[in-house]
Every structure is written in structure tokens, then in C-alpha cells.
Amino acid sequence: AELEPLGLPVPIPVETMGMAGGAIWMSGVGRLFRLVDGVVNELAVDGYPSIHGFTATDTQLHLAVPELVSMSLADEDPVVEALWDHPVTALSVDDTGDLWLVADETLYLKRGESEPVEVQMPEPVHNVVGPTTWIQGTSNVYQFHDGGFTGYPLDATGMIGVDDYG
């Protein structure tokens, strides 16, 4: 991975933003940028021309390229720690730093350096958002809390968005 310094403003329309570890992460049109102390850097991953999604903690960055790439943010430049060869369609980090992801309409959970483990759900899964973990299925939305799921029927508009407080 490589960080390329840029000036402000960010040279693309920003579609998604997130904050972690004193940095603001911004993505759009397949590109990812990090803003720290007024300096913008673009993140590029060798062999992957487009970044489809991201989520970050203070110490890690997870990318959907569309396969999962997990990187350490401990050094000046991000370092690739793990690759998972399934195309990821959604990913999110919960308030404990665990990674939730959706691949092939299946929910997975990745804790620490372990491989993602399938989470059994009663229906195909299409989206996950956090840090309060909400999972969108075909006809229900589920909230993960206290080690289990609570299901709620989806209305006609589907799952629009969830803030940091759920």
C-alpha cells in the first residue's frame, strides 16, 4: 500500500466518510483518501485499481477491492496484514473493533487476526452498518447486541442509514 500526498480540496466527489485514529477517511469513485492534521493522502493498493468500500479503527483499515484487504495503521504507511479472497459487498467495524462483512449474501465476523467466520442468519444478508451493528436481510433488519440478534421487519423503503448510536 502506498500513501500519496495531495492538497485540499479532495479531487473527487466524496461519497463516504469515516473517522478513526485522529484521521478522516473519505472515498468516492473507487478512490480512498486520508486527512490528518490538514494533510490529505491518497491510498493506493498495488494490483487493485479501485476501492469499493472501507472501514477503519484506530489501528486497522479494512478495504473491499472487492476482496478483503486488512491493513495495519501502526506505521507511517499502511501495511497489508491479511487478504481474504471473497468479494465483499459491505463491511463495518463494531465498537469493539471486530469486523462484520457481507460476501455472497452471507454475513461473516472477523475478530483480530483470525479468518472471517460465517454467522448463521435466517435469510440472505445484503448490508451491514456500525458501530452499533445492524444487518439488512431480504425482509428484516437485525440489530446485534448482548451476543444475539433482534429482528425487525423492513418497511417499503428498506434500511436507509444508522448513526453511531443506532
Side-chain angles (χ1 to χ4, degrees):
E2 184 178 313
L3 287 171
E4 178 76 26
L6 303 169
L8 284 171
V10 175
I12 56 143
V14 173
E15 298 165 352
T16 308
M17 292 180 65
M19 291 179 54
I24 297 173
W25 295 91
M26 301 165 281
S27 71
V29 295
R31 296 169 70 184
L32 181 64
F33 300 87
R34 179 177 75 173
L35 172 64
V36 178
D37 298 328
V39 177
V40 175
N41 291 292
E42 181 173 3
L43 178 79
V45 181
D46 292 338
Y48 299 100
S50 186
I51 296 171
H52 302 275
F54 77 95
T55 189
T57 68
D58 292 349
T59 59
Q60 285 197 308
L61 174 65
H62 304 282
L63 306 173
V65 292
E67 295 81 9
L68 176 66
V69 176
S70 295
M71 308 176 120
S72 169
L73 297 175
D75 297 324
E76 182 69 25
D77 287 326
V79 176
V80 175
E81 289 183 324
L83 298 169
W84 191 57
D85 62 356
H86 293 67
V88 174
T89 54
L91 66 168
S92 180
V93 176
D94 66 19
D95 53 10
T96 66
D98 292 337
L99 176 65
W100 295 83
L101 49 123
V102 176
D104 195 30
E105 297 187 333
T106 303
L107 182 66
Y108 292 87
L109 176 60
K110 181 181 184 331
R111 289 192 164 119
E113 296 179 13
S114 67
E115 285 287 309
V117 175
E118 183 177 340
V119 177
Q120 293 295 319
M121 297 299 290
E123 62 182 311
V125 174
H126 305 288
N127 198 8
V128 60
V129 295
T132 301
T133 304
W134 288 86
I135 299 104
Q136 179 185 354
T138 302
S139 57
N140 293 283
V141 64
Y142 303 88
Q143 181 185 19
F144 179 77
H145 57 93
D146 299 327
F149 294 95
T150 302
Y152 304 93
L154 277 173
D155 64 18
T157 59
M159 188 167 73
I160 296 170
V162 179
D163 66 14
D164 290 350
Y165 302 101

